[in-house]
Amino acid sequence: SLTKSWFIYTLEPSEVKEAKVDVVNQSDQSVEVKIYPVDAVTTKDGAFAPQSEDREKIDVGAWITMSASELSLKPNETKAVDFTIKVPENAEVGDHMVAIIVQGKEVAEAGEGTAMRVMSLVGARISLTVAGEMIKELELENFSYKVEEGQVVFYLTLTNKGNVRISPKGE
């Protein structure tokens, strides 16, 4: 299934899933792009963070095969790119994250002096749960509080010790 720009799957070890992602050129100029999968992580503050293209793929990024690695798109053209996820037999049970990244092939060269090269990346997020025994275990690492402007403010550090994502809520 696809929820906005997310693909959400639950697959068994050794299962193969075929899908496609649409790449859309919304500009009025032709573009050349590359398309590739990368592993992703969750940052300390809970944000989704795709790894860089040159980072070694050791998770779902390594399980994905793309039908194309480069595309030419005319103005306002859409092309579908097939991809296949092959879950290894020994895949770790629980949640895994990956992104399929689309990046313009041409990156403007930096001029002389202090300069930065800027490139645009967009991606489709894939959330994959490998079926098996799910462990939900949340550990309270630290707890403290302060009185700030007449209000008691609690500070908690929670660590997910399980193998699936959890979204703790409390009052």
Side-chain angles (χ1 to χ4, degrees):
S1 65
L2 172 60
T3 306
K4 294 187 180 176
S5 58
W6 287 37
F7 292 86
I8 302 170
Y9 301 119
T10 298
L11 302 174
E12 300 283 338
S14 302
E15 190 171 348
V16 175
K17 175 71 179 176
E18 294 182 354
K20 65 175 76 177
V21 61
D22 286 334
V23 181
V24 183
N25 177 9
Q26 295 180 323
S27 76
D28 58 2
Q29 297 180 358
S30 294
V31 293
E32 303 278 326
V33 297
K34 10 188 230 183
I35 182 167
Y36 54 89
V38 293
D39 291 332
V41 296
T42 303
T43 63
K44 281 189 174 183
D45 59 358
F48 177 84
Q51 303 282 19
S52 63
E53 180 185 10
D54 56 2
R55 184 93 174 246
E56 182 186 6
K57 295 177 204 52
I58 58 172
D59 201 50
V60 185
W63 308 349
I64 291 183
T65 306
M66 307 290 301
S67 65
S69 60
E70 296 184 353
L71 295 173
S72 296
L73 294 159
K74 296 177 182 148
N76 301 304
E77 183 179 19
T78 299
K79 285 188 178 176
V81 178
D82 297 317
F83 66 92
T84 303
I85 304 172
K86 291 182 182 176
V87 181
E89 189 177 330
N90 63 347
E92 188 176 327
V93 170
D95 292 331
H96 300 262
M97 294 181 301
V98 66
I100 294 177
I101 301 293
V102 176
Q103 168 187 334
K105 282 175 61 179
E106 292 181 20
V107 179
E109 289 297 319
E112 290 193 25
T114 304
M116 294 191 308
R117 293 176 7 156
V118 177
M119 72 180 134
S120 296
L121 305 173
V122 292
R125 178 174 171 170
I126 300 173
S127 176
L128 170 63
T129 302
V130 175
E133 183 186 356
M134 302 295 171
I135 300 168
K136 290 187 176 183
E137 184 181 336
L138 185 66
E139 187 173 296
L140 177 61
E141 298 278 342
N142 287 305
F143 173 83
S144 63
Y145 69 92
K146 286 183 188 171
V147 177
E148 297 178 1
E149 298 177 12
Q151 301 243 348
V152 178
V153 179
F154 295 100
Y155 296 91
L156 301 124
T157 302
L158 303 170
T159 302
N160 183 352
K161 299 283 190 176
N163 63 3
V164 291
R165 280 187 313 279
I166 50 180
S167 300
K169 295 182 175 106
E171 293 183 30

